[in-house]
Amino acid sequence: MTLTVRNLAVHYGRKTVIDGLYADALPGALTAIVGPNGSGKSTLIKAMCGDLPYDGTITLNGIDVFRAQPWELAAVRGVLPQTSTLAFPFHAIEVVKIGLTSGTEADHEGRASAALARVGLAGYANRYYQELSGGEQQRVQLARVLAQAWAPATASGPNWLMLDEPVSSLDIAHQLQVMRIAQNFARAGGGVVAVMHDLNLTGLFADQVLVMAEGQVLAAGRPADVMTDGVLSRAYGCDLRVNTAPQGMAPFVLPHSIDASGNAGFAE
Amino acid sequence: MHVWLAVTLVVVGLFSLTIGATDVSLGPALQKVVRGQALTRTEAIVLWDIRAPRLALGVLVGAALAVGGTVMQGLFRNPLADPGLVGVSAGAGLGAISAIVLVGFAPAWLVRNVGDHLVPVAAFLGGWGSTLLLYRVSTRRGRTSVATMLLAGIALGALAGALSGILVYISDDRQLRDLTFWGLGSLGGASWAKALAAGPIIVISVLAACALGRGLNGLALGEATAAHIGLNVQRVKNMAILTVAAATGAAVAVSGGIGFIGIIVPHLLRLAMGPDHRPLLINAALLGALLLVLADVIARVIIAPAELPIGIVTAVLGAPVFLWILLRQRGMVDL
Ligand SMILES: Nc1ncnc2c1ncn2[C@@H]1O[C@H](COP(=O)(O)OP(=O)(O)OP(=O)(O)O)[C@@H](O)[C@H]1O
Ligand SMILES: [Mg+2]
């Protein structure tokens, strides 16, 4: 009951974006994927969700993702894409309910309200989605994903959250709130795969880190082992120093080569 | 909501049966029917052979156009879409014009066998042909791109328009009059034969379309998310295109070009009850039927004893209503 990626290759037209990639994610752990823009993080998570044609094998809870029917996958995982759109003026709660199938309308209503409350949007059920701020919209989408993959673990196996940059437009308090939701989901036996740009949040919350660069896995393992000066500087192509906070030994990262104007410089 | 629409539809439908160019008053005749008494011969002919099929056709065509418009707006995620976008109107128009203008060249056995139904049959085949062509053009490796379909539909529409133009150019005066009237739409030629030919196609495809509610709701979040919540996106698209082409094709074939029902009904309903497609589709069928029957009543009484092409009525009433909707919800329409 894991997520396994074996010898994955993804092409967009004739362009190869990922080639020969291996990765694993376990339920009970928050697995973060980090790496620079264009390194293939979204492409990898899309392949894991069955959005793209690919070569190689990906299995989720033993289901072959490539061959699976959409509803088989929908039953065991929810997906938060990097960008979301919505046609027509739906209310926030209708967006959250859209992914629900089994159960009665009252069940849906109850679960959707609970999901909205969990992301801190309890009073927002009947607001128009289009009239919410960017961060509020992102949290409505997260609530939709949570409502769909509601129970972290069921009798038939773990459920999964696949999150592409879940905190990208959130303020610091909501970043922490959302990361805690993801962490609790994992602690309760669910699987979480999250693409992250904030290395400090990654250091604080991730159980496993996958560092990607140019469509390859540069390093994978526990944050303390993987998030090192060498790996991160090589991945991002700029001079980074990893430090540990006195409390709890979580690594944190500061960009180092700051030039006279105060801009973070890039190593050529 | 749908209960009220259904009740109003029945009332307006009964009312429409009592109205017409004949100076025989049919109110009493209708009472006789209700009481189970026998009708006079004239009453029977006017009521049963002229007005009843016309009412049936109005209900069918209105429901087909309105549901077609709702499905298209959902599929293209665009509130400006109408059934014409799957190419069915352009193709049907070309088919109808071909039949009107080229009937002189048709083999005698065909004219003998198909006779009066040549125009509807040609319109239906034309509509289907162009939809299939459009579908082929915009489908690669089992995946249909709705954006490609939208753009290819514009190209195909222009092509069909040009071919129609050539036919108009070579047509004589009588044909010109016929095809102009066809383009304006009418329920005037209603007969039980037409209603029974179009009826099953429209009823089946409208019912099938009404089952697309969840699929269209999912598509509102984009194709990727629709798949993530467990929908077979390609199947939703196939069903949407198939049902709209069948329903609209049949409707246009028996009634000609009737505009604005397909675009205005979903808008009115979304204002009244929100964008959830599950209740929207069934209500669209009812409201479309209601508005078209109403428009037909107006078309028949406004210059009685003559009658106006119904397409003129729907456009004259529909265009201002549409503008009013747009003014009211200024800032709410996002493309
Ligand atoms: N639809 C597409 N067609 C062609 N190339 C694409 C497509 N989507 C992504 N790419 C390319 O594939 C590479 C990986 O893109 P991907 O979206 O996976 O990056 P990412 O790691 O998620 O980046 P970011 O941090 O900016 O989100 C990039 O070079 C991008 O230009
Ligand atoms: Mg990305």
Side-chain angles (χ1 to χ4, degrees):
Chain A
M1 289 298 173
T2 59
L3 172 61
T4 62
V5 180
R6 294 286 170 270
N7 200 17
L8 176 71
V10 181
H11 316 276
Y12 288 118
R14 236 177 285 146
K15 180 175 164 192
T16 300
V17 177
I18 291 180
D19 200 9
L21 185 145
Y22 289 76
D24 288 288
L26 294 170
L30 197 166
T31 305
I33 304 172
V34 300
N37 291 147
S39 57
K41 306 179 297 296
S42 293
T43 305
L44 173 59
I45 211 165
K46 282 179 189 165
M48 289 169 167
C49 295
D51 297 358
L52 297 169
Y54 59 79
D55 298 320
T57 2
I58 302 178
T59 61
L60 181 69
N61 287 6
I63 306 169
D64 180 347
V65 169
F66 194 79
R67 296 230 172 74
Q69 294 296 330
W71 55 87
E72 290 178 75
L73 293 172
V76 295
R77 60 105 180 87
V79 184
L80 181 73
Q82 185 169 357
T83 55
S84 302
T85 60
L86 180 67
F88 306 119
F90 283 96
H91 290 131
I93 191 146
E94 294 179 296
V95 174
V96 178
K97 280 195 294 189
I98 255 170
L100 303 177
T101 41
S102 58
T104 65
E105 183 61 27
D107 296 342
H108 294 184
E109 199 76 26
R111 188 185 286 189
S113 305
L116 276 175
R118 213 191 279 183
V119 298
L121 291 174
Y124 288 64
N126 289 315
R127 293 275 302 273
Y128 285 113
Y129 178 87
Q130 272 98 345
E131 293 177 3
L132 300 177
S133 78
E136 288 164 351
Q137 291 185 348
Q138 195 174 8
R139 277 145 62 207
V140 170
Q141 293 287 347
L142 181 68
R144 172 181 68 69
V145 176
L146 290 173
Q148 187 188 335
W150 191 240
T154 66
S156 51
N159 281 343
W160 293 78
L161 300 177
M162 314 294 270
L163 313 172
D164 195 348
E165 303 196 18
V167 297
S168 56
S169 49
L170 304 186
D171 65 68
I172 190 156
H174 285 112
Q175 289 184 346
L176 292 169
Q177 181 185 26
V178 166
M179 290 314 292
R180 233 173 265 131
I181 291 171
Q183 192 176 45
N184 289 339
F185 191 88
R187 297 259 159 87
V192 181
V193 178
V195 173
M196 299 290 296
H197 273 308
D198 188 320
L199 296 175
N200 292 310
L201 283 176
T202 306
L204 274 174
F205 287 96
D207 301 303
Q208 292 285 315
V209 179
L210 202 75
V211 184
M212 286 191 72
E214 293 174 359
Q216 307 281 330
V217 174
L218 210 57
R222 289 173 41 237
D225 302 334
V226 171
M227 296 175 68
T228 60
D229 295 359
V231 169
L232 293 183
S233 299
R234 199 143 56 87
Y236 290 94
C238 73
D239 191 9
L240 295 170
R241 299 287 155 74
V242 179
N243 301 280
T244 40
Q247 201 193 4
M249 301 302 282
F252 69 88
V253 183
L254 276 178
H256 258 240
S257 54
I258 305 223
D259 63 27
S261 61
N263 296 321
F266 286 88
E268 291 305 313
Chain B
M1 178 106 178
H2 56 273
V3 179
W4 288 112
L5 285 175
V7 170
T8 319
L9 177 59
V10 170
V11 172
V12 172
L14 285 177
F15 176 66
S16 82
L17 287 177
T18 68
I19 295 211
T22 346
D23 49 8
V24 188
S25 164
L26 282 160
L30 213 53
Q31 286 169 9
K32 283 190 200 168
V33 174
V34 175
R35 294 204 197 98
Q37 295 164 348
L39 296 174
T40 69
R41 217 179 118 68
T42 330
E43 284 172 342
I45 289 177
V46 171
L47 200 60
W48 184 245
D49 291 340
I50 299 180
R51 290 184 192 166
R54 185 168 185 146
L55 171 62
L57 218 54
V59 169
L60 290 168
V61 169
L65 294 176
V67 169
T70 313
V71 171
M72 283 297 98
Q73 294 184 6
L75 178 68
F76 288 99
R77 303 156 43 76
N78 188 322
L80 292 181
D82 77 357
L85 279 184
V86 285
V88 72
S89 308
L94 181 58
I97 292 178
S98 307
I100 292 169
V101 177
L102 302 178
V103 65
F105 302 102
W109 61 265
L110 186 69
V111 179
R112 218 179 308 118
N113 287 320
V114 189
D116 286 348
H117 302 304
L118 195 59
V119 172
V121 169
F124 188 71
L125 293 180
W128 260 107
S130 61
T131 302
L132 286 184
L133 187 64
L134 208 51
Y135 183 75
R136 284 290 297 273
V137 168
S138 47
T139 305
R140 286 280 143 74
R141 285 191 228 102
R143 234 189 117 249
T144 307
S145 158
V146 285
T148 307
M149 193 154 188
L150 193 71
L151 295 172
I154 292 173
L156 206 65
L159 198 62
L163 292 176
S164 303
I166 295 174
L167 291 170
V168 169
Y169 188 75
I170 62 168
S171 61
D172 62 34
D173 281 356
R174 191 189 51 78
Q175 291 168 339
L176 208 52
R177 192 183 141 77
D178 280 353
L179 62 88
T180 306
F181 271 96
W182 190 87
L184 292 173
S186 173
L187 296 175
S191 63
W192 280 118
K194 274 187 185 175
L196 289 178
I201 300 175
I202 291 179
V203 168
I204 290 172
S205 43
V206 162
L207 287 179
C210 285
L212 286 171
R214 187 173 129 77
L216 295 177
N217 281 349
L219 279 183
L221 284 157
E223 289 184 21
T225 300
H228 294 153
I229 63 172
L231 291 164
N232 185 334
V233 172
Q234 187 58 35
R235 188 145 80 201
V236 173
K237 289 184 195 168
N238 288 346
M239 280 299 285
I241 294 164
L242 194 77
T243 54
V244 171
T248 318
V252 173
V254 293
S255 67
I258 299 178
F260 269 105
I261 295 283
I263 197 162
I264 222 171
V265 167
H267 274 272
L268 282 172
L269 285 174
R270 270 199 295 270
L271 276 185
M273 54 187 292
D276 186 345
H277 287 90
R278 286 165 303 176
L280 206 58
L281 287 161
I282 183 76
N283 282 311
L286 293 169
L287 185 61
L290 175 61
L291 289 183
L292 201 70
V293 172
L294 209 57
D296 189 44
V297 169
I298 294 172
R300 280 188 284 163
V301 297
I302 200 157
I303 52 167
E307 60 179 67
L308 213 56
I310 192 170
I312 295 179
V313 178
T314 56
V316 164
L317 295 179
V321 172
F322 193 54
L323 283 176
W324 171 76
I325 295 174
L326 293 179
L327 285 173
R328 260 203 46 165
Q329 58 175 8
R330 206 170 5 211
M332 285 292 285
V333 184
D334 282 318
L335 296 187

